[in-house]
Amino acid sequence: MKSIYKKISLPIILSLLIATAITGCKKDDDDQPRLVENEEELITSVFVNYKDSSTSINEVAKFRDPDGEGGNDPIQFDTIRLTKGKTYEVSIEFLDESNPLDIEDITEEVREEGAEHFICFEVDVNSGVTITKTDSDGQYPIGLTSEWMTDLTAMPFNGTLKLTLKHQPDVKDGTCAPGDTDVEINFPLIIN
């Protein structure tokens, strides 16, 4: 039996190799860049909006660092100022202001993916502040909205309130322990 390879000429073999190489280099749709769900967002600004429920006076404490972590210092870092014996309705906003011509509101994404996000508030027990989250993903709180009550009998307080946004896909359990930290800010807090 004669070998089939003797009948195939060198030019035909080279043509087949080139065709295979070209076909092998063609990109499949799977190789194309695509959006990945829950990819970490850049958060450059955090706003704490708080309204005294008895007077309806609105205040906003802003943290703004347009170039993100590192680089330049924040351009705005406000103090949260509360009064003893008051109840405040609070909402939190997260923004990406790295491009002033295209400011992105990350708050909506946190709300829509509430089952994967958890906002933690940490404040010294001596502050006299009780924080109750008022929104939910259906099982656990999120923390975009909350009620803050200040104790009328507490001593004046000058300290910090740590606000942390946790990303907790498939591990959210209603605590701050699991997941990754998307942003963490230590807001100065004064209560008189």
Side-chain angles (χ1 to χ4, degrees):
M1 181 187 291
K2 292 186 178 181
S3 172
I4 190 167
Y5 298 112
K6 289 184 181 178
K7 293 184 179 180
I8 300 176
S9 69
L10 183 60
I12 293 173
I13 291 173
L14 287 175
S15 297
L16 287 172
L17 286 173
I18 291 171
T20 302
I22 290 171
T23 305
C25 290
K26 182 182 173 193
K27 287 190 174 188
D28 294 333
D29 287 342
D30 290 342
D31 293 337
Q32 296 298 315
R34 58 182 182 269
L35 295 175
V36 178
E37 278 191 35
N38 302 319
E39 185 177 38
E40 187 175 332
E41 298 283 351
L42 176 62
I43 297 173
T44 64
S45 304
V46 179
F47 297 171
V48 178
N49 305 290
Y50 54 104
K51 178 173 75 171
D52 180 336
S53 59
S54 64
T55 64
S56 295
I57 294 175
N58 292 305
E59 301 285 340
V60 181
K62 298 179 180 180
F63 172 86
R64 298 176 66 218
D65 188 3
D67 68 345
E69 189 175 0
N72 297 321
D73 290 337
I75 61 170
Q76 187 171 11
F77 201 168
D78 296 337
T79 298
I80 299 171
R81 297 176 187 278
L82 305 177
T83 302
K84 294 191 305 180
K86 298 281 188 174
T87 300
Y88 296 88
E89 298 168 17
V90 180
S91 64
I92 310 297
E93 293 178 76
F94 300 100
L95 303 171
D96 175 1
E97 295 184 306
S98 58
N99 179 355
L101 301 176
D102 185 24
I103 295 172
E104 186 177 354
D105 186 352
I106 309 298
T107 313
E108 272 311 304
E109 181 180 328
V110 172
R111 183 175 288 111
E112 289 169 8
E113 298 174 1
E116 299 179 359
H117 290 92
F118 192 70
I119 298 171
C120 308
F121 301 101
E122 289 181 46
V123 66
D124 189 299
V125 68
N126 295 323
S127 68
V129 176
T130 303
I131 298 175
T132 305
K133 296 172 186 169
T134 56
D135 58 351
S136 169
D137 63 16
Q139 184 174 7
Y140 297 111
I142 301 169
L144 286 171
T145 61
S146 56
E147 181 180 85
W148 297 8
M149 296 177 65
T150 56
D151 187 348
L152 181 60
T153 61
M155 297 293 292
F157 179 79
N158 188 343
T160 59
L161 178 136
K162 185 192 314 187
L163 185 154
T164 307
L165 173 61
K166 298 289 288 205
H167 189 214
Q168 302 177 326
D170 302 319
V171 295
K172 186 173 180 179
D173 64 2
T175 70
C176 294
D180 297 318
T181 298
D182 284 342
V183 68
E184 185 172 275
I185 308 294
N186 286 309
F187 277 96
L189 174 64
I190 295 175
I191 305 172
N192 289 314

